[in-house]
Amino acid sequence: MNRSSNIINLHITKNAQHIALHALRACVTNDGIIAGVHHFVDLWARDSLFATFGSDTLSAKNTIETFLRFQREDGLIPYRIMRSKTSIAKYFGKPTLLARLVPNFRSHQSGGLVLDGGLINIIAAYEYAKRSGDKQFYQSHLIQFDRAMQWYERRFPDRLLSEWFQCEWADGVLKAGQTLYTNVLYWKALGDMENYTRQRFVGNLLRERLWNGKFFADWVDYKRQDYFSSHANMLAIVFGFASMSESKSILDVTKRYCLREWTLETNYPAYPFWRIPLMQYISGLTDYHNRGCLWLQPGITYSLALYKCGHKKEARKFFSKIAQQIERHNGVYEVYEKDGTPVNRPLYRSEDPFAWSSGLFLWASHILGKL
């Protein structure tokens, strides 16, 4: 890459950083970072807390503390804190705000307990303390973090975390059991809590149950389901769970089956029709998490996975393509069509701005450095 190309890429990335920063700031409220400002106006743990990775420290701290404020007595932390009523009008961008915040612990789709709230809270708090130097904040909430982790250990003493249908990130797919996404978060949270004995135990189970010789399988129920979940496998690399040889194999599979110009397909192969919930058919979103809609998160974590594996030039080159996508549409959207345009279908419009992708992009920008 010549000097003029470097200058162009740096200019594009700086513009994209400015757009992402503006998008993330638009999602900051007095209660913390909300997922978006159109219809995702609640605090969703995975959206809001991953967004803190790239937010200002005050917003990060406030978001983490809001989730901790609603921790149950038994230790479970909510996966969503509602600011608005659930209604059809809400999903057309006309939410009705509630008089007070309401925590959710069970999926509004299936009724199952959603497990990742406490895990991401701990990971986000650890990242905040490391980035800000505010170790006192982490220590002051250590009792709550301990209670959160004890909840998982009591409920799943000798096995991986197990979920009901539509309780992990890819909630547009019917999968239940021990999912890679949630258990990678579990492994990371255990390390952040310095519970290395339990972390080794969980890591050994993850490899035993989900490694298929080429990548970590999507989930295990009555058998190992050998779908390739791109984002979860990238997190396994980025968080340091996957070994170097495993990471190399995962990246090979990624390039062969999921790599697109500026991001990754969500999965390979496509899930069969019967694994897609009826509501996805009604809303015209059967491809929401199924090799159709394209998300920025897998692409951003792919850049970080490349970087972690020593492919720094390749990582930065790919990241510049993500920056171009953001600049092209002058925003950070939730999901895109195959041609790169933000989803805008009769019954669903892509959230804009979208906090999760905005925060991750800014976080990755800091790690990858100048192009």
Side-chain angles (χ1 to χ4, degrees), residues 157-299:
D158 57 358
R159 58 194 175 102
L160 297 175
L161 305 187
S162 186
E163 305 169 282
W164 191 236
F165 294 106
Q166 297 179 277
C167 289
E168 67 132 45
W169 170 52
D171 58 3
V173 182
L174 295 173
K175 49 183 171 179
Q178 300 168 350
T179 65
L180 175 62
Y181 169 78
T182 302
N183 281 287
V184 165
L185 295 180
Y186 186 33
W187 180 89
K188 177 67 164 63
L190 285 165
D192 289 348
M193 289 292 292
E194 298 184 358
N195 189 346
Y196 301 123
T197 300
R198 181 73 178 177
Q199 187 188 43
R200 281 192 295 273
F201 171 76
V202 169
N204 289 337
L205 282 179
L206 264 172
R207 282 194 171 83
E208 177 187 319
R209 304 227 66 199
L210 291 172
W211 181 253
N212 66 9
K214 294 181 179 179
F215 57 86
F216 291 104
D218 202 346
W219 80 97
V220 172
D221 41 31
Y222 66 94
K223 69 171 186 176
R224 189 181 67 208
Q225 300 289 347
D226 281 335
Y227 296 93
F228 179 75
S229 172
S230 61
H231 186 49
N233 272 276
M234 294 309 106
L235 288 177
I237 297 174
V238 173
F239 285 158
F241 172 64
S243 68
M244 191 54 68
S245 61
E246 288 167 346
S247 298
K248 181 181 182 302
S249 180
I250 290 167
L251 290 176
D252 287 344
V253 171
T254 303
K255 292 174 183 178
R256 185 172 182 183
Y257 296 111
C258 288
L259 184 61
R260 295 187 68 87
E261 182 184 357
W262 49 269
T263 193
L264 306 179
E265 296 280 6
T266 52
N267 54 288
Y268 177 84
Y271 302 114
F273 75 93
W274 54 269
R275 283 204 179 274
I276 307 303
L278 177 61
M279 186 53 66
Q280 301 301 114
Y281 284 94
I282 294 172
S283 60
L285 287 171
T286 57
D287 59 348
Y288 191 60
H289 285 123
N290 193 22
R291 289 190 70 84
C293 292
L294 297 174
W295 303 70
L296 289 177
Q297 299 99 306

Side-chain angles (χ1 to χ4, degrees), residues 14-251:
K14 287 295 183 185
N15 283 347
Q17 287 172 344
H18 177 76
I19 293 167
L21 183 60
H22 180 76
L24 188 54
R25 284 175 175 170
C27 297
V28 174
T29 72
N30 291 335
D31 300 311
I33 301 170
I34 57 177
V37 302
H38 181 257
H39 55 272
F40 283 146
V41 295
D42 302 319
L43 286 90
W44 295 76
R46 59 189 68 126
D47 299 71
S48 302
L49 293 167
F50 269 120
T52 66
F53 285 29
S55 75
D56 65 272
T57 54
L58 181 60
S59 298
K61 183 178 180 180
N62 192 25
T63 305
I64 294 162
E65 287 184 324
T66 296
F67 278 92
L68 288 173
R69 182 151 48 99
F70 289 97
Q71 183 177 30
R72 289 193 330 198
E73 283 298 315
D74 64 0
L76 188 62
I77 290 174
Y79 81 97
R80 177 172 67 163
I81 298 173
M82 293 184 66
R83 298 173 65 246
S84 62
K85 295 180 180 178
T86 299
S87 66
I88 294 175
K90 176 178 181 176
Y91 286 94
F92 282 94
K94 298 185 183 298
T96 301
L97 295 182
L98 299 167
R100 61 182 180 83
L101 301 178
V102 177
N104 290 163
F105 299 90
R106 292 187 175 275
S107 166
H108 65 288
Q109 297 166 294
S110 71
L113 281 174
V114 181
L115 306 182
D116 61 355
L119 305 172
I120 305 174
N121 195 280
I122 290 168
I123 296 167
Y126 183 85
E127 180 66 26
Y128 161 79
K130 183 173 65 174
R131 181 161 55 99
S132 67
D134 186 1
K135 301 297 193 326
Q136 179 57 37
F137 170 81
Y138 193 83
Q139 290 298 320
S140 67
H141 292 291
L142 201 54
I143 292 175
Q144 286 182 277
F145 297 149
D146 278 332
R147 281 173 50 213
M149 294 309 290
Q150 287 168 15
W151 185 90
Y152 297 106
E153 291 182 38
R154 285 195 306 272
R155 194 173 184 90
F156 307 97
D158 57 358
R159 58 194 175 102
L160 297 175
L161 305 187
S162 186
E163 305 169 282
W164 191 236
F165 294 106
Q166 297 179 277
C167 289
E168 67 132 45
W169 170 52
D171 58 3
V173 182
L174 295 173
K175 49 183 171 179
Q178 300 168 350
T179 65
L180 175 62
Y181 169 78
T182 302
N183 281 287
V184 165
L185 295 180
Y186 186 33
W187 180 89
K188 177 67 164 63
L190 285 165
D192 289 348
M193 289 292 292
E194 298 184 358
N195 189 346
Y196 301 123
T197 300
R198 181 73 178 177
Q199 187 188 43
R200 281 192 295 273
F201 171 76
V202 169
N204 289 337
L205 282 179
L206 264 172
R207 282 194 171 83
E208 177 187 319
R209 304 227 66 199
L210 291 172
W211 181 253
N212 66 9
K214 294 181 179 179
F215 57 86
F216 291 104
D218 202 346
W219 80 97
V220 172
D221 41 31
Y222 66 94
K223 69 171 186 176
R224 189 181 67 208
Q225 300 289 347
D226 281 335
Y227 296 93
F228 179 75
S229 172
S230 61
H231 186 49
N233 272 276
M234 294 309 106
L235 288 177
I237 297 174
V238 173
F239 285 158
F241 172 64
S243 68
M244 191 54 68
S245 61
E246 288 167 346
S247 298
K248 181 181 182 302
S249 180
I250 290 167
L251 290 176

